Amino acid sequence: MNTAFITDWIDEITRLVAAEREHLTALDAAIGDADHGANLDRGFTAVRTALSARPPGTPGGALVLLGGTLIRKVGGASGPLFGTFFRQAGKTLGDSPEVSPAELAAALADGLAAVRALGSAEEGDKTMVDALIPAVRALEQAVQDGAGRRKAFDAAARAAEEGARATVPLRARKGRASYLGERSMGHLDPGAASSALIMRALHISASGSR
């Protein structure tokens, strides 16, 4: 996978976030500040501008640029968390002009570890990591089993979506939603939902179909 593949992934994330902007905001209205969709949409739009102005030469460089832009442009907790995820993944990939699915899986695992360290979140806390942990786990397992790129990314996307849905009955233990106590139960976590979109975009980019 070269730089063009990663920028295609970013384009697909941008498209999905824009399409789901109001849905993500509605999810956030129930247990947060009602700005998650708008913030992410603005952030990824800024990323596309940055990529056009300074086209990266490597997959890692593209992810570092993505992460840094999200940190600067997205408000609330989402910017630092998603930005850290992508930036650390990019740093792990380094300067390689092409990366394998196994290398991308390892990079995303490092990004996830950085997010967990930043937010002190564990699986079951009703946060974005409830989607990312199973996604990375599924991706690593699929790669280890010798699955092709499309199948591996499909497994990751499905696991992320299942992880996001599993946040509905949970009581939030992190972030603004935690202030609601039991009232946070019964709602899909917006960060987990957007994380699932990111993994779905990865699979769509690999399959070449929308």
Side-chain angles (χ1 to χ4, degrees):
M1 295 176 290
N2 56 18
T3 307
F5 177 87
I6 298 299
T7 55
D8 284 348
W9 178 25
I10 295 171
D11 284 343
E12 188 59 30
I13 297 172
T14 304
R15 184 186 74 83
L16 289 179
V17 166
E20 297 291 329
R21 170 177 170 161
E22 298 307 318
H23 175 60
L24 292 173
T25 294
L27 293 177
D28 196 34
I31 57 175
D33 294 326
D35 58 3
H36 186 65
N39 282 344
L40 281 188
D41 187 29
R42 181 176 65 252
F44 277 97
T45 298
V47 169
R48 287 305 311 147
T49 300
L51 287 170
S52 297
R54 294 180 292 153
T58 64
L63 291 181
V64 169
L65 179 60
L66 165 58
T69 304
L70 292 180
I71 289 171
R72 293 191 301 273
K73 297 294 185 178
V74 179
S78 295
L81 291 170
F82 281 108
T84 293
F85 175 69
F86 286 113
R87 188 168 65 176
Q88 181 56 58
K91 288 180 178 179
T92 295
L93 291 180
D95 296 327
S96 300
E98 292 192 1
V99 299
S100 68
E103 289 170 329
L104 182 58
L108 296 182
D110 283 353
L112 171 59
V115 167
R116 295 179 71 180
L118 179 62
S120 301
E122 301 292 340
E123 200 166 7
D125 283 344
K126 200 182 182 87
T127 71
M128 62 189 286
V129 305
D130 285 298
L132 291 178
I133 288 175
V136 170
R137 183 189 300 134
L139 180 56
E140 290 177 322
Q141 186 62 55
V143 168
Q144 183 178 329
D145 292 344
R149 187 175 70 182
R150 293 183 184 180
K151 186 174 181 181
F153 294 159
D154 179 49
R158 290 177 184 273
E161 288 169 0
E162 291 174 5
R165 286 195 299 270
T167 65
V168 172
L170 298 177
R171 175 174 175 169
R173 296 198 292 261
K174 295 290 180 181
R176 184 177 179 84
S178 66
Y179 302 150
L180 298 177
E182 291 185 357
R183 287 181 294 158
S184 66
M185 299 168 68
H187 299 283
L188 179 65
D189 180 70
S194 51
S195 296
L197 287 182
I198 287 168
M199 300 311 297
R200 188 198 309 170
L202 180 60
H203 176 239
I204 292 173
S205 296
S207 64
S209 62
R210 295 182 177 179

